[in-house]
Amino acid sequence: MKREALLARLRSTPRWDVLVIGGGATGLGCAVDAAARGYTTLLLEAHDFAKGTSSRSTKLIHGGVRYLAQGRLGLVREALEERAILLANAPHLVHPQRFVVPVYRQWDRLMLGVGLTAYDWLAGSRSLGASRLLSAGDTVAALPTVKREGLLGGIAYMDARFDDARLAITLMHSVLDLGGLAINYLPVTALRHEGGRVAGVDAHDGESGEHFSIAARVVINAGGVWADALRQLDDRQAPAQLAPSQGAHLVLDRDFLPTDSALLIPHTPDGRVLFAIPWKGKVLLGTTDTPRTDLPLEPRPLAGEIDFILETAGRYLTRPPRRNDVRSAFAGLRPLIGSGPAGVKGGGTATLSREHLIQVSRQGLVSVAGGKWTTYRRMGEQIVDAAIPVGGLPKRPCSTRGLPLHGHPGTPCEDVFGLDRPRVDALPGARRRLHPALTLTEAEVRHAIRHEQARSVEDVLARRHRALFIDARSARDAAPAVAALLAEALGLDDKQTREQTEAFQHLAEGFLTPR
């Protein structure tokens, strides 16, 4: 997967049926769907795949327990259906996860029991196992470090967890497997109009600066939190639709919750639930819901968010976590449907829709706002359905419902590479770790560069491997070794290698929680 070969194919294609802007969950889902239908498909990403929101989620594929209380049964049912599809199509990346809710009030026991019974009912034949009431002893057995004072019992139910950035890389592979083209570091600078209609884009190679004028029968705007800016390239008067929200997460060592069960805290002051999830040998805490009026490429958890997560978790754990226990702290921006940042009422976004909105402009730009990872496939199906008449494309049915994604191993496994593992281990350095605290090997770095379009230390340590999100200090220390392998593979000189290392180490500092 050499970049020059990808760019050569871009140069040699006079016009694409479908051009997707944005390499996050939604854009990749659109590109897989379009390519699977046989349309010539191009996806352009300004930075790296899943650079933003799509690598910074709560790592759950779920129906959304809290949406039941809001009466959004359709959203829950659809998400539970998509959960089942993902478990079947990507069993190397999506796995069943048991959750336990500790109960300290009888009223909560009653209400949660009713709600989770409804959750089971909505899942129907796709249920991963019925929810059940637990005694206090069973709850402690499932959550050994949960606070016992006043504990009445608990409720256990099933959902699913996943590796978000690795799913994005798998979708990129799947686009290519299906004959499409997906390229990172190729930002769109303008929309091209012909006869008053969107007819393609102008873009440039973020590495060489080469300019591309690209023709397409239909253009899909899947820019996530930046979708409004792309809509305004099409129509300067287009009103903002998004009310971005920030979700922060903290990562702790496993001894804070030494179990394979996840903890759900059902009541928090901001109206959300808080999760403590076993993930890659650590515990992931989150998430918050904080309105943002700006759109930073590298959002940071706010001090108040860090304190909120630590204080809330500390009320439920026998050993309250402190700032110096945090291995990594990160935040992601959510593209919630609202009336723009200025339209958030009362400073809160917890009640805004997690559903998605598809619009076609007068000039034929197909834009999508909102959505979440769990329903990415369904979103892609609906967006391509909307794009077909806009581009005058031959109507073809969606085929992604039963489409095994790249690397599908046939049966569930915990290896994110799936069927690609033999190819990874055939590369030099399969047994050499880059850092004692990380599982990353030299062979996996080489595979990321050769086969997964990794172009920087950050691409490797943040999204091809999750080191930055698991243990920011160890990732920072591993940066020089990764930069040396990049230099070897991409022909970087000493100055470029040093710049790669320093840029990542500066980024990693932002994932370290201030003491």
Side-chain angles (χ1 to χ4, degrees):
M1 201 182 294
K2 291 185 177 179
R3 185 173 182 83
E4 184 51 43
L6 300 176
L7 294 175
R9 184 177 168 201
L10 176 58
R11 296 185 196 102
S12 65
T13 304
R15 186 169 72 158
W16 301 86
D17 291 336
V18 178
L19 191 158
V20 181
I21 305 172
T26 304
L28 288 161
C30 291
V32 168
D33 186 286
R37 299 193 202 206
Y39 303 129
T40 56
T41 303
L42 171 67
L43 180 145
L44 301 178
E45 163 56 39
H47 302 283
D48 187 28
F49 306 109
K51 160 74 175 177
T53 311
S54 297
S55 63
R56 298 163 184 255
S57 75
T58 309
K59 321 306 178 196
L60 295 179
I61 297 294
H62 63 139
V65 172
R66 75 187 184 91
Y67 303 142
L68 284 174
Q70 298 172 0
R72 298 178 181 177
L73 300 187
L75 177 62
V76 175
R77 188 191 299 274
E78 179 182 74
L80 289 171
E81 181 178 356
E82 292 301 318
R83 181 187 71 181
I85 292 171
L86 258 172
L87 282 162
N89 291 350
H92 50 317
L93 297 165
V94 185
H95 307 282
Q97 174 64 59
R98 184 191 196 212
F99 283 81
V100 175
V101 187
V103 174
Y104 296 87
R105 298 184 303 178
Q106 287 291 0
W107 176 251
D108 289 343
R109 188 182 183 92
L110 173 64
M111 294 305 295
L112 287 166
V114 171
L116 289 171
T117 298
Y119 199 63
D120 295 341
W121 178 78
L122 287 169
S125 62
R126 297 178 175 86
S127 172
L128 300 178
S131 59
R132 66 187 187 94
L133 297 177
L134 303 177
S135 67
D138 289 340
T139 303
V140 171
L143 303 172
T145 52
V146 73
K147 279 192 175 176
R148 304 182 186 190
E149 184 179 355
L151 182 67
L152 300 177
I155 300 175
Y157 73 98
M158 295 299 296
D159 241 319
R161 60 177 162 80
F162 79 130
D163 186 327
D164 49 9
R166 286 302 315 184
L167 181 53
I169 300 305
T170 296
L171 292 173
M172 176 273 290
H173 270 295
S174 298
V175 172
L176 296 169
D177 292 345
L178 293 164
L181 181 61
I183 310 178
N184 54 1
Y185 296 104
L186 219 155
V188 168
T189 55
L191 297 176
R192 299 177 61 217
H193 293 81
E194 292 179 6
R197 303 285 293 176
V198 175
V201 304
D202 290 333
H204 74 270
D205 183 354
E207 295 186 2
S208 69
E210 179 181 359
H211 175 78
F212 294 89
S213 290
I214 305 167
R217 296 174 71 173
V218 63
V219 175
I220 295 173
N221 166 17
V225 293
W226 295 279
D228 281 341
L230 287 166
R231 289 175 55 246
Q232 288 160 0
L233 284 179
D234 178 46
D235 178 1
R236 292 182 183 178
Q237 305 304 314
Q241 291 181 328
L242 298 175
S245 165
Q246 173 166 298
H249 300 81
L250 307 180
V251 176
L252 308 175
D253 285 332
R254 184 177 170 84
D255 56 6
F256 280 91
L257 192 66
T259 174
D260 291 331
S261 294
L263 164 67
L264 184 148
I265 298 170
H267 303 296
T268 67
D270 72 347
R272 295 183 60 81
V273 297
L274 190 77
F275 297 102
I277 304 163
W279 190 66
K280 296 191 178 293
K282 302 290 184 181
V283 177
L284 177 71
L285 296 179
T287 179
T288 56
D289 202 323
T290 306
R292 294 290 300 244
T293 56
D294 56 346
L295 298 174
L297 185 60
E298 285 294 339
R300 298 281 186 259
L302 305 175
E305 290 180 306
I306 294 171
D307 292 339
F308 169 82
I309 293 173
L310 293 175
E311 289 168 7
T312 304
R315 290 200 292 268
Y316 289 83
L317 298 176
T318 55
R319 178 187 165 199
R322 309 298 182 196
R323 280 179 174 252
N324 59 2
D325 296 314
V326 176
R327 294 296 186 182
S328 186
F330 62 92
L333 302 180
R334 304 185 186 94
L336 305 183
I337 301 170
S339 54
V344 179
K345 303 298 184 183
T349 54
T351 60
L352 292 182
S353 177
R354 267 63 178 171
E355 296 179 86
H356 59 278
L357 174 68
I358 302 168
Q359 286 191 322
V360 180
S361 74
R362 292 190 303 272
Q363 296 78 238
L365 177 67
V366 180
S367 294
V368 57
K372 57 181 183 175
W373 253 120
T374 300
T375 54
Y376 90 91
R377 189 213 63 84
R378 180 66 175 146
M379 291 168 60
E381 176 182 350
Q382 294 176 349
I383 295 161
V384 174
D385 282 345
I388 288 171
V390 176
L393 300 172
K395 191 171 182 179
R396 296 169 185 163
C398 171
S399 61
T400 58
R401 180 176 291 269
L403 177 70
L405 297 180
H406 180 88
H408 191 297
T411 57
C413 75
E414 290 285 347
D415 190 335
V416 296
F417 293 104
L419 288 182
D420 281 348
R421 172 53 72 179
R423 182 171 69 179
V424 176
D425 288 346
L427 295 170
R431 296 182 180 277
R432 289 194 295 272
R433 289 191 178 190
L434 271 73
H435 189 281
L438 303 175
T439 61
L440 180 64
T441 66
E442 288 186 10
E444 289 171 346
V445 176
R446 290 189 166 96
H447 183 266
I449 300 165
R450 296 185 188 187
H451 301 290
E452 296 179 341
Q453 296 197 53
R455 308 296 295 177
S456 71
V457 175
E458 179 191 342
D459 294 349
V460 174
L461 290 174
R463 290 173 290 278
R464 307 315 185 274
H465 188 275
R466 309 314 307 277
L468 180 62
F469 291 82
I470 296 167
D471 187 338
R473 251 183 205 85
S474 297
R476 181 190 61 189
D477 294 343
V482 174
L485 291 171
L486 276 162
E488 170 193 298
L490 303 181
L492 306 182
D493 60 29
D494 290 345
K495 180 174 180 292
Q496 292 170 316
T497 304
R498 184 172 63 255
E499 288 173 347
Q500 282 265 2
T501 302
E502 291 174 353
F504 179 79
Q505 290 179 332
H506 176 73
L507 173 67
E509 291 294 329
F511 281 67
L512 298 173
T513 307
R515 298 292 186 250

